[in-house]
Every structure is written in structure tokens, then in C-alpha cells.
Amino acid sequence: MTDLSRRKFLRAGGAAAAAGAALIGSGLGAAAEAPRAPGATTLPYPRTAITKAGTMKPDVPQPFTYPDAQSFCQIIKTGRAVPGGMGPDRDIVAFSTQCTHNGCPLSYDKVARTFKCGCHFSIFDPEMHGQMVDGQATENLPRILLEHDAQDDTLYAVAVEGLIYGRQSNLL
């Protein structure tokens, strides 16, 4: 049995921690990462074509799935420019349509211009980043980030802002 005093143990542990910090600081301890654009998501979301902006009518949501076939979403043209809106008029937004309270499906109310949950009556405002405005939910709707290709008028889903209900990661 070796005679290891508390002082020797702490000194050896401190030296190991310092060496590890130096290794990480030098970049040698980090895994090789692909270069990322500033502000880009770290998850490899697919770039998925959804629809043509010119074919959309105000207050008529179109269903789609993103980032996979189990994640139900809707894209909607609000008819007026909104924060985060895409398309020529900056009035197109998209959201996950699973309520952030218990995952119930949401429906769009054309009169109130909101997404509503029929289970526990939460209400979300698509014109304000999917903000929860009433009900049992405590989180805003996950927003599907869009890109608009002006050359061919295609809208693409490119990422999810927020966590889709019931998931630990948006990508399965």
C-alpha cells in the first residue's frame, strides 16, 4: 500500500486538471468539427421544400411535416408583415402544431387568427412568433425557420426554433 497523503492527492489532482485544461485550450482535446456559419444551428436539420409563396392564400394554413414525418406543422400566410415572416411580403410563418402543454393537435382559427388547442384551450399567436397567449401551456410554439428562394418562389423549412413537444431532441 502506498503512502498517499491528502496533500499529495490534491497536488496530483490539480496537476491533472491543469493539464486537461491546457489540452482543451490548445484544441487538441476537442473533436474535429465542421466549420459553421455564424448563427447557424448546430443540429443538421434538412432543408425541405414546402410550397411556393405565390400559391398561398391569406389565413389558409397548409399542413406539412418537419423535420421528420412524425412532426406535424402548418405554414400560414398572415396577409400582413409579421416578425420573422418570410416571402415577398414577409407574411409567411410556420409552426409545429402540437400544443406545448400536452402535445394535443392544434387548429387554426381564421376569425381570431390564432392556433387553438381543443384539449385544454391554450391559444398561440402566429403573428408574434407563436407566443402563448392563454391557457395551460407555458411555452411558445416551436417555430419552423423558413427560407425563401426568390428566383423560383419556393419556401424551405431549414430548422426548428424551440423543442417539439415530447422530444429530447427535435431530430430523431
Side-chain angles (χ1 to χ4, degrees):
M1 184 164 137
T2 61
D3 184 25
L4 183 62
S5 70
R6 190 165 104 181
R7 179 175 291 182
K8 287 181 183 178
F9 175 78
L10 291 174
R11 192 176 296 154
L23 184 64
I24 290 171
S26 70
L28 295 176
E33 291 184 11
R36 286 182 249 147
T41 180
T42 58
L43 295 173
Y45 286 105
R47 185 173 190 253
T48 305
I50 300 173
T51 190
K52 303 279 187 187
T55 64
M56 297 186 71
K57 294 180 174 47
D59 292 324
V60 179
Q62 294 180 17
F64 68 100
T65 58
Y66 187 82
D68 53 49
Q70 291 76 38
S71 180
F72 301 101
C73 305
Q74 288 188 358
I75 187 169
I76 187 162
K77 180 178 180 69
T78 64
R80 55 183 166 223
V82 297
M86 293 304 294
D89 300 322
R90 316 287 297 163
D91 64 344
I92 299 172
V93 291
F95 297 94
S96 168
T97 54
Q98 289 181 265
C99 182
T100 58
H101 173 240
N102 269 354
C104 293
L106 301 174
S107 60
Y108 184 73
D109 181 336
K110 291 180 185 183
V111 175
R113 300 172 64 90
T114 58
F115 283 105
K116 294 186 175 181
C117 177
C119 294
H120 301 106
F121 311 110
S122 291
I123 298 172
F124 303 89
D125 186 349
E127 295 178 8
M128 290 303 295
H129 297 289
Q131 181 178 7
M132 193 285 300
V133 293
D134 196 20
Q136 300 290 324
T138 59
E139 300 288 328
N140 297 338
L141 285 179
R143 186 165 65 118
I144 309 304
L145 301 182
L146 302 172
E147 284 182 2
H148 178 244
D149 183 341
Q151 289 184 350
D152 68 358
D153 200 35
T154 301
L155 288 160
Y156 294 90
V158 295
V160 179
E161 182 180 79
L163 189 60
I164 298 168
Y165 178 82
R167 297 188 179 192
Q168 294 178 347
S169 170
N170 287 334
L171 296 173
L172 298 177

